[in-house]
Amino acid sequence: MSARMIHVTIEKPWKEVYAFARAPENLPQWASGLATGISREGEEWIVDGGPIGQVRVRFAADNEFGIIDHTVTMEDGSSVFNPLRVMPNGNGAELIFTLFWHAGLDAEGFEADAAHVLKDLQTLKTLVEGNK
């Protein structure tokens, strides 16, 4: 699969960025395409994904490496793996999302997804930096 790395630089310590971004309860504040409402059910989070319907999200365990990978399972049972990493960059952080080009997605759809991911990462940046 083709893939694109989408990233933003955040002027806050990487552990602070990681703590905020990995907390599922914070998703509604920044992941506009995924979380308009969220609740926990065991190891998964049930998310109202708006136009994509109710989805289940399972996150990587809390870790010291800044990995926030998560799998989104759609109502039809199909799953999408989403690698998301926070890495130190001096006194700040790099937040990097890997967007995969899935079968059945045309170029226009892929570009729209990429733009949406960038918008969400920029929203997260604004929230963490406190520039509301």
Side-chain angles (χ1 to χ4, degrees), residues 6 8 10 16-38 47 57 59 68-70 72 82-86 95-97 115-129 132:
I6 302 166
V8 295
I10 300 177
E16 187 176 328
V17 175
Y18 173 76
F20 183 87
R22 83 156 317 277
E25 301 88 354
N26 291 332
L27 281 175
Q29 295 179 60
W30 65 273
S32 63
L34 184 59
T36 57
I38 188 167
V47 177
V57 183
F59 292 90
I68 314 173
D69 294 356
H70 53 285
V72 177
N82 298 295
L84 179 61
R85 310 294 163 93
V86 180
L95 181 64
I96 304 169
F97 184 96
H116 198 106
V117 168
L118 180 58
K119 176 182 167 282
D120 286 350
L121 296 184
Q122 289 171 331
T123 298
L124 190 144
K125 171 185 170 73
T126 299
L127 288 168
V128 172
E129 289 180 347
K132 294 184 183 179

Side-chain angles (χ1 to χ4, degrees), residues 54-71:
Q54 189 178 68
V55 299
R56 293 179 171 274
V57 183
R58 183 177 288 259
F59 292 90
D62 190 19
N63 61 82
E64 63 186 272
F65 305 108
I67 298 170
I68 314 173
D69 294 356
H70 53 285
T71 301

